Amino acid sequence: MTAMRRDLLLCGLFACAALFWPMISDMRYSVTQTTFFFIWATVVVQWNLVFGIGGIFSLAQVAIFAIGAYVTAMLGYYLGTSMLLAMPAGAVAAVAASLVLGIACLRLYGPYVALLTICVSQVLYVLIVNDTDCFTNPPSGCMPLMGGVRGFSRFGDLGFRDWLGAGFYIGNYYVGLLLLTAAILFSIAIIHSPMGLAFRALRDNPVYAAARGVDRFRYQLWIFGLSAFFTGLSGAFYAVNTGVVGPVVFSFQHLLFLLSMIVIGGIGTVWGPVIGAAVLMLADEAMRELGDFRDIGMGLLLVACVVLMPRGLTGLFQDMARRFAKPADTEGAT
């Protein structure tokens, strides 16, 4: 079985198993937390394409995610746009923003890309937080154009409350599952395509790739823009799922949490980001009652994974599979 067929089979099995989770779990909390897992996993799967496959040390994914969320919320709040239209519009706006950012930063290398992209994210945060001039005056009080520190709320939903009543969160769950499945399929298609081979060549040996005619700027701009669609769409769905969008989506802590998922799961692999997202969310949930020690526990977990498993959990699983395969091969030879 080829690697691509194996990944497609795993994706199908994952989606089929996830279909039945709301039927198995009778707790609303577990279903809504799984929906958040779908959102964060979608972001890190696409971030892995940029960082792990494309070799672009970009920290702009959180900003792109936030752009998708803010555009969706603003369209619903100011124009009354249906969320079915606002969400794709937010994703397109995220792609446009990422292309502009990519043109500006992809001529740089390594840490300079990281510095520029994190600066852009923080500039957007500062602009939103310091936006205090009234744009509208609803009954709730002065509303700045970008929402200010209050953010946006009551801008619409996908209509599941009217269809499913108190079980509306199950509708959101399946939308999140569809979003993650599509993002994984897109990631598989990119990684196992000739384009993915070009990305890995640019990551591992840019001089040799350039000598073979691979245009670094063009290819990396492609992956920067393509991955932004699902990142922006996940931000749009986050806005719809929570019903609230505020400057907290730009937080540095949020960025580190998502980046840690890729590192723990395994950089540059198909399933590493998904596994890392699941492990970190379960660990975060397990440490929920620890209060201030929660962040310390998460930090120790990250350090332990980096030191003991430098290739992440997927690298550990691959090493274990090779060790179990060797005795079987030896017995077959004898």
Side-chain angles (χ1 to χ4, degrees), residues 53-55 197-207 209-210 214-217 219-220:
I53 304 299
L197 182 61
F199 293 142
R200 289 191 293 274
L202 287 169
R203 177 196 66 191
D204 298 334
N205 197 330
V207 175
V214 179
D215 188 329
R216 171 185 170 271
F217 179 78
Y219 272 88
Q220 290 191 338

Side-chain angles (χ1 to χ4, degrees), residues 70 128-132 143-152 246-247:
Y70 263 90
I128 291 174
V129 169
N130 289 284
D131 182 15
T132 57
M143 173 60 74
L145 175 63
M146 300 295 293
V149 294
R150 292 171 52 188
F152 294 95

Side-chain angles (χ1 to χ4, degrees), residues 12-25:
L13 292 174
F14 166 77
C16 290
L19 282 173
F20 296 100
W21 177 240
M23 306 173 194
I24 298 172
S25 174

Side-chain angles (χ1 to χ4, degrees), residues 8-309:
L8 289 174
L9 177 61
L10 289 174
C11 183
L13 292 174
F14 166 77
C16 290
L19 282 173
F20 296 100
W21 177 240
M23 306 173 194
I24 298 172
S25 174
D26 57 353
M27 295 177 59
R28 173 174 174 174
Y29 181 76
S30 65
V31 175
T32 55
Q33 285 299 102
T34 308
T35 305
F36 279 111
F37 160 71
F38 294 153
I39 295 172
W40 303 140
T42 300
V43 176
V44 294
V45 163
Q46 298 305 301
W47 196 350
N48 180 60
L49 286 178
V50 175
F51 183 33
I53 304 299
I56 307 169
F57 193 22
S58 169
L59 299 178
Q61 295 307 108
V62 169
I64 295 169
F65 173 88
I67 289 170
Y70 263 90
V71 170
T72 301
M74 292 174 71
L75 287 174
Y77 187 85
Y78 290 122
L79 303 180
T81 306
S82 167
M83 292 296 102
L84 293 175
L85 297 176
M87 286 176 61
V92 172
V95 171
S98 71
L99 289 175
V100 172
L101 183 59
I103 292 172
C105 75
L106 288 180
R107 298 190 185 278
L108 304 175
Y109 292 87
Y112 299 104
V113 176
L115 288 173
L116 179 58
T117 51
I118 193 64
C119 285
V120 170
S121 179
Q122 292 306 301
V123 165
L124 290 175
Y125 171 78
V126 171
L127 288 175
I128 291 174
V129 169
N130 289 284
D131 182 15
T132 57
D133 295 334
C134 291
F135 184 72
T136 60
N137 284 284
S140 58
C142 173
M143 173 60 74
L145 175 63
M146 300 295 293
V149 294
R150 292 171 52 188
F152 294 95
S153 61
R154 299 180 181 178
F155 45 79
D157 55 39
L158 292 174
F160 290 125
R161 291 179 185 273
D162 298 331
W163 300 346
L164 303 175
F168 71 94
Y169 61 92
I170 298 177
N172 287 345
Y173 171 91
Y174 285 115
V175 173
L177 174 59
L178 178 63
L179 177 62
L180 176 57
T181 303
I184 292 174
L185 290 174
F186 175 74
S187 176
I188 293 171
I190 290 293
I191 290 174
H192 295 293
S193 70
M195 185 180 292
L197 182 61
F199 293 142
R200 289 191 293 274
L202 287 169
R203 177 196 66 191
D204 298 334
N205 197 330
V207 175
Y208 179 77
R212 300 294 294 178
V214 179
D215 188 329
R216 171 185 170 271
F217 179 78
R218 181 166 64 89
Y219 272 88
Q220 290 191 338
L221 187 62
W222 264 105
I223 194 62
F224 212 72
L226 290 173
S227 65
F229 178 81
F230 284 104
T231 303
L233 192 60
S234 62
F237 178 59
Y238 170 85
V240 173
N241 183 58
T242 59
V244 177
V245 174
V248 68
V249 294
F250 287 98
S251 69
F252 194 67
Q253 184 178 7
H254 185 204
L255 184 150
L256 292 178
F257 184 63
L258 295 176
L259 184 59
S260 299
M261 293 177 180
I262 304 177
V263 174
I264 289 176
I267 299 173
T269 61
V270 174
W271 294 100
V274 179
I275 295 172
V279 169
L280 264 192
M281 287 200 65
L282 288 172
D284 188 55
E285 184 64 26
M287 300 178 190
R288 185 177 55 173
E289 304 297 332
L290 297 181
D292 293 338
F293 293 99
R294 183 181 189 177
D295 293 336
I296 297 175
M298 294 294 288
L300 291 175
L301 175 63
L302 177 60
V303 171
C305 288
V306 170
V307 173
L308 301 177
M309 299 178 293

